[in-house]
Every structure is written in C-alpha cells, then in structure tokens.
Amino acid sequence: MPTPTTTLAMGPEFLDPEWLISTFGLLGILAIVFAESGLLIGFFLPGDSLLFTTGLLTSDGQYITYPIWLVCLLITIAAIVGDQVGYLFGRRVGPALFRRPNSRLFKQENLLKAHEFFDKYGARSIVLARFVPIVRTFTPIVAGVSKMNYRTFVIYNVIGGALWGTGVTLLGYFLGQIDFVKEHIEIILIAIVVISVVPIAIELLRARMAARRGTTPAEQAALDEAARESQQHRPY
C-alpha cells in the first residue's frame, strides 16, 4: 500500500483519497460526501475518486473493516442528506444567491453552470448531477432556489444518492478483488488521485482567471436572468 507521501506530489494532501481514508476513516468519508453533496464549500472535495478508493480499500480490509453493505448504506445516506441540506439552503436563500459576490470558495460561474444543467435536464438533473464534479454540489441548491416540488426532489435525490453512493463504491470494491488490480494498486490509486485533482485544478485556475477579469456583462446578464427565472415556481 502506498503512503500519503507517494501521491502528495500529484496534488494537495487533503485531496488524496487514500490519505483521507487512512487518516479520518469511515466518518471522514461520510463527512466529505455530505459536504460535497450540498454545501457551497464542498465543491472542491474529491467525490467519485473517494468512493472508488473507499471500495478498493474496503475489499483490502486495511483501513476499512466494516462490511461493504454497511459502507454503501452509510455513504448513500450521507449523500442523500447532503442534497437535502443543499435544497433547503437554496429554498431559504432564494434568488438572492445569484447576486452573491464571488469569494475564494464561491464562484457565480459554478452556480450558473448548475442552473444551466438544471434547466436542461429538469428533475433528472438531480440524478445526473451526481456523476458530474462541481455541478453535483450546486444542483440541489439550484433546485431549492427554483422551488422544485419537494416530493419530486426527494424521489430523485434518493435514486441519485443510491446509484452514485453505492454504484461507484461497489465498482471499486469488486475491482479491488481482481488480481491485476491488487498487483498494481499503487499505480491505480495514483491514477485516481490524478483524475480527481486535474478537473478541480482546472476549475480553480479558471476561477482565479475569472476573478482577475471580473464578471463580464454577458455573465452578469445570465445571472440576472437565472435569478428572475428562479423566482417563479417550477412545476417539476
């Protein structure tokens, strides 16, 4: 098994799934899944790679000794509860969120992406967004801002949380029992870190560049339009 320093050079230590799992255990995994599913500050956390690595390390039994069914169940619950919190936050804050100024941890462009995703796929976006980094953090918030029917949201939230939380974790678990994966697990874990860090690094770079140039008139117009649309009740 690699140590955290093996993958440290690939990105920040706190984004290394194996380091997170070995340091904080199952409770840490659940906290990250919850935060990434519905808290504004959770968009940069590893999601897919964390669940996949959790499955791998559960099959190995070194860091996680709980049965896989319990791990999947708890992860799914954390994901569902996180989205619920995001929805309720968006519903309470309302369209004013689209006028919130940018900060180090909040970028209007991420909210706008989620709004466009939500407009394109409707209620299905609650499920589909689970598999799209960054968008999955903001979509339940946008659903709340848009006053999506709560019962509909809960149904799609449960489906999406189960498919993502259980599906990705089980994928890692079963692959972890293949001899080739066991023999090259260090390389695979490093690849997972690369896959998880690169998209986040790109988004952070884009956010930094956007902060330097400020909000363009076109972006501001899109945000204003999104805020106006969100004031209307959506019959999903």
Side-chain angles (χ1 to χ4, degrees):
M1 275 293 175
T3 61
T5 54
T6 304
T7 53
L8 182 58
M10 309 304 297
E13 188 178 56
F14 66 86
L15 293 180
D16 176 359
E18 190 195 2
W19 180 83
L20 290 169
I21 294 170
S22 64
T23 303
F24 301 106
L26 183 57
L27 287 178
I29 296 171
L30 299 179
I32 291 172
V33 170
F34 169 81
E36 204 214 3
S37 294
L39 300 184
L40 288 175
I41 61 173
F43 74 92
F44 66 89
L45 296 170
D48 304 313
S49 60
L50 178 67
L51 298 190
F52 187 84
T53 305
T54 297
L56 278 176
L57 298 181
T58 300
S59 68
D60 180 82
Q62 180 174 354
Y63 297 137
I64 302 176
T65 57
Y66 299 99
I68 185 62
W69 69 265
L70 179 59
V71 173
C72 290
L73 176 62
L74 293 177
I75 288 175
T76 298
I77 292 174
I80 292 172
V81 173
D83 260 27
Q84 291 295 129
V85 171
Y87 174 88
L88 295 174
F89 172 78
R91 187 134 187 169
R92 178 163 185 167
V93 173
L97 186 62
F98 288 94
R99 294 185 288 273
R100 177 175 176 171
N102 287 330
S103 64
R104 293 177 65 90
L105 294 177
F106 176 78
K107 303 299 177 184
Q108 283 286 357
E109 63 177 304
N110 292 331
L111 186 64
L112 187 57
K113 286 179 186 177
H115 184 274
E116 293 171 349
F117 191 87
F118 184 70
D119 273 351
K120 182 176 181 179
Y121 296 105
R124 292 176 299 161
S125 65
I126 306 302
V127 176
L128 298 176
R130 287 288 187 183
F131 301 90
V132 184
I134 298 177
V135 172
R136 72 169 146 255
T137 302
F138 289 88
T139 297
I141 297 174
V142 172
V145 172
S146 301
K147 294 183 172 59
M148 178 180 181
N149 180 273
Y150 185 69
R151 180 178 296 181
T152 301
F153 174 81
V154 170
I155 292 173
Y156 280 91
N157 181 23
V158 171
I159 294 173
L163 289 176
W164 181 65
T166 298
V168 178
T169 306
L170 284 179
L171 179 63
Y173 179 80
F174 287 116
L175 288 179
Q177 299 181 47
I178 298 175
D179 290 337
F180 176 83
V181 176
K182 288 182 179 180
E183 294 170 0
H184 301 85
I185 194 167
E186 292 189 9
I187 297 176
I188 291 174
L189 288 177
I190 292 175
I192 290 172
V193 174
V194 173
I195 293 172
S196 66
V197 169
V198 169
I200 295 172
I202 292 175
E203 287 297 328
L204 291 176
L205 180 61
R206 290 180 57 187
R208 179 174 296 182
M209 294 175 63
R212 289 179 178 177
R213 63 178 170 79
T215 304
T216 65
E219 290 173 338
Q220 187 58 54
L223 289 169
D224 292 340
E225 177 64 23
R228 285 193 294 272
E229 291 178 359
S230 299
Q231 290 177 329
Q232 302 175 356
H233 178 75
R234 295 178 178 273
Y236 291 122

